[in-house]
Amino acid sequence: MRTLLLLATAISVLPSVLAQSGLYGQCGGIGWTGATTCSQGVCTVLNDFRPNHLTPSADYYQCLPGSSTTTTSTTTSSSSTSISTSKSTSTSSSTSTGTAPTATPQNVSPQWTAAYAKASAAVAKMSLQDKVNLATGETGHCVGNTPAISSISFPGLCLEDSPVGVRYADLVSAFPAEINVAATFNRTLMNQRGAAMGTEFKGKGVHVALGPMMNLMRAAAAGRNWEGFGGDPYLSGFINESERIQTIVGIQSSGVQACAKHYINNEQEHFRETSASMVDDRWQHEIYSLPFLRSVQANVASVLCSYINSSFACENDKMLNGVLKTEFGFQGCKKLIADWWATHSTLSINAGLDMTMPGDISSSSGTSYFGSNLTAAVNSGQVTQARMNDMATRILAAWYLIGQDTNFPAVNFDAWNTGDSSNKHVNVQATHATLIRQIDAAGTVLLKNTNGALPLKAPRTIAIVGNGATNASGGPNNYPDRGGDDGVLGLGWGSGTVQFPYLTTPLDAIKSRSASDGTVVTSSTSDSDLTGAKNAATGKDVAFVFVTADSGEGYITVEGNAGDRNSLSAWHNGASLESSACLIDALIAAVAAANKNTIVCINAVGPINMEAWINNANSAFLYVLSGVPGQEAGSSLVDVLYGAYNPSGRLPYTIGKSVTDYSAQVLFNQQGSITPIPYSEGLFIDYRHFDQAGIAPRFEFGFGLSYTTFAYSGLAVSGSTAGGTRQSGPGSSLDPWLHDPVVTVTFTIQNNGTVAGNEIPQLYLTFPTSANSAPKNLKGFDSVFVGVGQSVSVSMTLSRFDFATWNTVTQRWEVVTGTTTISIGASSRDIRLTGSIVN
């Protein structure tokens, strides 16, 4: 029987919701139908903080020590929701054990074991107050701060955004977004980017970098898609032999704790704090929690839980204690942090939460769920000393693991006040601009190249059209948290951003290159001046049109888009409905009518709808997708346009022909106090859905062109999934029996064109029909440099885990029996070689 992992209605799991009275101390509030009196403490009304107070708070009553702030009464029933992640609907995952898992997890690395030993010795010296302070955020120089603990010479922690660099600091780099590094399909560049970012965080005195973002591109229009790695869980959290998630490995190799976020099912911005994600147990394991399992395998130091409401994600015992800390083995040596103001009760600590951020219940409230309330909960017996020791050990072990107990620099900036004397203006950029430019070029995707018009060969004249070619009128940092779409799109908006040290524009970069070629450049940088666009394009050897599509975090609304995009249309004056006219479409049409050699360059946070101009009969169109590349946007694009870099970027998501082609949509309409978001598409997101439903995409996952061509040959498959002994118990999802390589796939790639370059071979598995899986599932990739006329042998390994699916009855990964097809291709739909293996 199919079972649902409900982030679900309280009505459907009523027994477990009622049980929260003892578990979380809940005793009233919207949707509450349980007891309104407390066995311990006083029933006190609290409010769920809303960023910028965009919507009214939802009352929440909790049993707390002390005096009640209001008189409570029985509330009426509503559709308030709770998370259920159990294997059956009769056993709710929101039911807590009240304590952290006590069994020692298997497969803990020697590095973690050593760090845990140091942390245990330190905790033995700490008072209860020390332990409480360690877990309770406070005001400080960083976005998140914990106090110093003098008894163990602990300086406190600085936690700082973002996944693209050090937020709210000067003299730092603006790195390309995760979606761009995903488009490289290049492990080395992923690692180097992480290491460079880690160096900058450490140079500023930051202990915990709040990234990478591990949520998936479930809905194409979701606002924070650009902060993640795209639409595939393997690409987002790949592992192969001894390799791990390279962003995490890179960050932590530089001495900074990485923080995988947002755990879990935080795949849209609308109602992210008043919604319930309804996810089947199998879907959760195979799609949405998989990148977090891979994060644990990469020894990630911390995990940030999400805002998902109502058995809240930050106090859901099944997902925190049950899955993350027990099944994934994320226990005993790692910490779990609440996203800012995502803590909802003191007793969330019993469900697995280790640290509350930024510390107060709501912005500047002066109160905390931890702090004195946590001390009181321990003294009253609601939280055990053992759990406090466990919590403190996790936090300190991460600090010891990364080596932050020795010669770690003090915080030398202030995130809130650039004029503060603590700002030492330390320049941490080093030579990272060179790496950023290289990543941007490698992540640029050439979508169409009619008649081989690219690379450019010193054209006599060039026209540059569109606002996306130039800089914002007030400079690249004109909008707070990049909350505006004006000029070249270097980053989306929200907490995942950084201050640009500079932003190279396509117009400036092309002008600079053109000066050495003697090329005359004419420009029209208005999206609405169609006459100016036509005049600029007429008679020129080549005409460029620059297109953008932006999105971000929901606390900022840009051009009517509240985080999530209202449509997949290109900006500006983009349509709110897919069928509506779009100004940018008219701009492209005007240029195409005036110039038969038109090139559309796209900076976008994800897929955009190209149907109005992709097959324009008036022009031999070319399309270049540059994502959101950070500070080197213009320079890196010129590298590709002129052939200094042979494009090798591949789409980390599918571009459909209509928003309705995608299996999941952003839910824009509120449905009660808690909005249910059913993940009814199951396993079939992105290319999995397009393949399963037989929908022809405009450009498929993994697609991208090169200035050369490659041939594949000689597929050989060796090895077997048979034999061996598997483990059970805590940490069993890390079992070497599952993850050690057992099958080897080899083949040859030949460059039969005229330009050296990187090819991106991709390995997909097709399971037997009985597995009820997607037609193809990415399980391997590489970036392989091949010289002109040369051949390179490529080897990829597969583990039993790669051949496994999650069994909801046995609650473990099981190798699929039968014949599995192994496909090697240049994209998810350009399959060059096929073989098979019988399991």
Side-chain angles (χ1 to χ4, degrees):
M1 178 175 113
R2 173 146 293 181
T3 58
L4 288 183
L5 270 141
L6 299 177
L7 286 177
T9 64
I11 295 172
S12 67
V13 287
L14 184 59
S16 65
V17 176
L18 294 177
Q20 292 181 37
S21 177
L23 167 60
Y24 304 120
Q26 188 172 352
C27 53
I30 294 175
W32 183 250
T33 59
T36 58
T37 58
C38 301
S39 59
Q40 297 183 53
V42 179
C43 194
T44 305
V45 62
L46 299 167
N47 288 320
D48 178 16
F49 175 72
R50 314 288 303 157
N52 295 342
H53 305 283
L54 296 178
T55 60
S57 297
D59 287 337
Y60 176 84
Y61 297 83
Q62 181 191 354
C63 297
L64 292 178
S67 302
S68 174
T69 58
T70 189
T71 302
T72 63
S73 60
T74 303
T75 58
T76 58
S77 176
S78 76
S79 59
S80 176
T81 66
S82 67
I83 304 174
S84 170
T85 57
S86 59
K87 63 180 178 180
S88 67
T89 53
S90 63
T91 304
S92 169
S93 62
S94 60
T95 301
S96 174
T97 61
T99 59
T102 56
T104 301
Q106 304 167 93
N107 310 307
V108 175
S109 71
Q111 295 84 1
W112 272 120
T113 300
Y116 188 72
K118 288 184 178 181
S120 296
V123 170
K125 302 175 185 178
M126 296 171 66
S127 66
L128 173 60
Q129 191 60 55
D130 287 340
K131 297 168 192 174
V132 169
N133 290 346
L134 191 63
T136 307
E138 66 172 13
T139 302
H141 294 300
C142 303
V143 168
N145 310 268
T146 64
I149 310 295
S150 59
S151 61
I152 57 170
S153 301
F154 178 72
L157 295 177
C158 165
L159 298 84
E160 190 71 24
D161 295 313
S162 74
V164 296
V166 187
R167 186 185 183 203
Y168 295 151
D170 62 356
L171 301 176
V172 300
S173 301
F175 286 86
E178 286 178 19
I179 198 66
N180 279 54
V181 74
T184 70
F185 281 71
N186 187 309
R187 292 175 171 85
T188 300
L189 292 177
M190 293 174 185
N191 181 283
Q192 290 175 345
R193 173 180 173 273
M197 286 197 301
T199 298
E200 296 203 8
F201 276 99
K202 183 176 181 179
K204 290 293 186 179
V206 176
H207 298 90
V208 182
L210 297 172
M213 201 276 270
M214 306 308 297
N215 303 115
L216 295 177
M217 188 181 288
R218 172 181 176 264
R224 300 183 78 172
N225 283 339
W226 60 275
E227 291 188 49
F229 294 100
D232 181 83
Y234 182 89
L235 180 60
S236 297
F238 76 87
I239 183 171
N240 187 16
E241 295 188 61
S242 62
E243 297 178 8
R244 300 293 187 267
I245 298 177
Q246 292 301 321
T247 297
I248 291 173
V249 172
I251 290 172
Q252 297 192 167
S253 71
S254 296
V256 172
Q257 300 179 41
C259 183
K261 64 181 187 181
H262 309 83
Y263 188 77
I264 192 169
N265 302 131
N266 194 156
E267 272 86 31
Q268 71 169 61
E269 285 301 283
H270 279 73
F271 321 119
R272 70 175 181 177
E273 296 170 51
T274 56
S275 64
S277 299
M278 297 157 51
V279 189
D280 178 276
D281 188 26
R282 181 181 176 188
W283 313 336
Q284 189 77 286
H285 278 80
E286 294 187 24
I287 303 293
Y288 300 101
S289 69
L290 180 56
F292 291 95
L293 171 61
R294 298 308 200 187
S295 299
V296 173
Q297 290 179 287
N299 278 340
V300 70
S302 56
V303 172
L304 188 77
C305 55
S306 73
Y307 293 107
I308 299 300
N309 202 339
S310 191
S311 126
F312 303 104
C314 285
E315 56 183 45
N316 185 269
D317 180 69
K318 175 63 178 182
M319 290 309 298
L320 304 189
N321 281 332
V323 175
L324 186 62
K325 290 186 173 182
T326 300
E327 182 189 314
F328 291 0
F330 188 79
Q331 80 166 26
C333 49
K334 303 166 182 125
K335 64 178 179 291
L336 182 68
I337 306 170
D339 206 341
W340 272 231
W341 298 290
T343 305
H344 293 277
S345 74
T346 301
L347 297 187
S348 59
I349 188 172
N350 287 340
L353 186 66
D354 297 312
M355 182 182 291
T356 183
M357 278 290 147
D360 45 12
I361 289 176
S362 61
S363 182
S364 303
S365 68
T367 58
S368 177
Y369 286 117
F370 281 20
S372 60
N373 280 323
L374 179 53
T375 302
V378 175
N379 290 334
S380 68
Q382 292 176 292
V383 177
T384 66
Q385 285 285 357
R387 174 64 184 110
M388 293 298 294
N389 291 340
D390 170 72
M391 172 207 71
T393 303
R394 295 173 187 278
I395 295 171
L396 289 176
W399 184 64
Y400 285 117
L401 173 80
I402 309 300
Q404 294 179 338
D405 57 320
T406 303
N407 298 323
F408 198 86
V411 176
N412 54 52
F413 72 105
D414 190 287
W416 314 114
N417 181 6
T418 56
D420 188 271
S421 60
S422 63
N423 279 301
K424 305 303 181 185
H425 307 291
V426 177
N427 190 328
V428 295
Q429 298 171 87
T431 59
H432 298 156
T434 300
L435 174 63
I436 291 169
R437 184 168 176 173
Q438 183 181 4
I439 293 170
D440 286 344
T444 297
V445 184
L446 181 61
L447 296 175
K448 194 172 182 180
N449 191 13
T450 306
N451 299 324
L454 289 179
L456 297 177
K457 302 173 181 66
R460 293 177 300 104
T461 55
I462 294 177
I464 306 292
V465 175
N467 176 258
T470 188
N471 224 324
S473 54
N477 297 314
N478 184 51
Y479 301 96
D481 288 343
R482 317 292 74 80
D485 189 72
D486 179 12
V488 59
L489 181 64
L491 294 171
W493 72 76
S495 65
T497 59
V498 69
Q499 294 286 109
F500 285 106
Y502 60 83
L503 177 57
T504 65
T505 70
L507 178 58
D508 289 342
I510 292 173
K511 280 184 174 180
S512 178
R513 172 55 195 257
S514 295
S516 63
D517 290 341
T519 304
V520 177
V521 177
T522 304
S523 63
S524 173
T525 58
S526 167
D527 287 343
S528 58
D529 184 2
L530 301 187
T531 299
K534 289 179 181 178
N535 291 340
T538 299
K540 306 304 186 297
D541 290 345
V542 60
F544 289 94
V545 183
F546 287 85
V547 174
T548 65
D550 204 355
S551 71
E553 197 167 356
Y555 68 89
I556 297 175
T557 297
V558 179
E559 299 184 27
N561 297 263
D564 303 312
R565 287 187 281 166
N566 295 335
S567 78
L568 299 186
S569 297
W571 292 31
H572 294 92
N573 194 31
S576 59
L577 298 174
E578 290 291 315
S579 59
S580 300
C582 180
L583 177 62
I584 206 72
D585 295 345
L587 180 69
I588 294 171
V591 174
N595 192 299
K596 301 300 182 182
N597 194 21
T598 296
I599 300 174
V600 178
C601 296
I602 306 161
N603 285 110
V605 291
I608 68 170
N609 191 319
M610 307 175 176
E611 296 309 296
W613 30 272
I614 189 66
N615 289 319
N616 189 298
N618 293 328
S619 179
F621 270 100
L622 299 88
Y623 300 94
V624 182
L625 178 66
S626 298
V628 275
Q631 68 191 46
E632 295 289 335
S635 299
S636 59
L637 178 64
V638 165
D639 290 341
V640 173
L641 294 179
Y642 282 84
Y645 187 92
N646 185 357
S648 61
R650 300 293 184 265
L651 288 175
Y653 50 77
T654 299
I655 298 178
K657 298 178 180 179
S658 167
V659 69
T660 57
D661 285 349
Y662 299 90
S663 60
Q665 311 296 329
V666 171
L667 198 156
F668 291 99
N669 299 316
Q670 188 168 356
Q671 299 176 17
S673 59
I674 301 297
T675 298
I677 301 179
Y679 283 47
S680 54
E681 70 282 354
L683 302 172
F684 305 107
I685 65 170
D686 202 81
Y687 70 91
R688 288 171 166 82
H689 163 69
F690 281 79
D691 290 348
Q692 186 260 351
I695 299 173
R698 174 52 60 193
F699 295 107
E700 71 269 19
F701 176 91
F703 177 82
L705 300 177
S706 170
Y707 292 150
T708 190
T709 56
F710 299 94
Y712 291 63
S713 64
L715 178 66
V717 179
S718 62
S720 170
T721 61
T725 303
R726 70 182 309 174
Q727 301 172 351
S728 60
S732 59
S733 284
L734 305 181
D735 185 356
W737 182 88
L738 274 174
H739 297 289
D740 284 350
V742 292
V743 173
T744 300
V745 179
T746 59
F747 53 94
T748 298
I749 296 177
Q750 181 180 14
N751 184 338
N752 53 14
T754 59
V755 182
N758 285 60
E759 174 64 337
I760 311 295
Q762 300 154 46
L763 187 157
Y764 296 88
L765 295 184
T766 301
F767 297 120
T769 304
S770 60
N772 295 315
S773 294
K776 286 191 289 289
N777 304 269
L778 181 71
K779 298 294 181 178
F781 62 84
D782 205 349
S783 177
V784 182
F785 181 82
V786 189
V788 176
Q790 295 182 347
S791 296
V792 174
S793 178
V794 180
S795 178
M796 297 182 181
T797 60
L798 297 167
S799 66
R800 292 182 181 90
F801 187 83
D802 292 320
F803 292 97
T805 59
W806 179 256
N807 189 310
T808 60
V809 177
T810 64
Q811 286 290 286
R812 68 178 190 175
W813 295 96
E814 305 277 9
V815 174
V816 177
T817 58
T819 300
T820 294
T821 300
I822 298 173
S823 300
I824 303 295
S827 76
S828 62
R829 293 208 168 188
D830 183 8
I831 302 302
R832 307 292 182 86
L833 305 169
T834 58
S836 65
I837 186 171
V838 179
N839 298 316

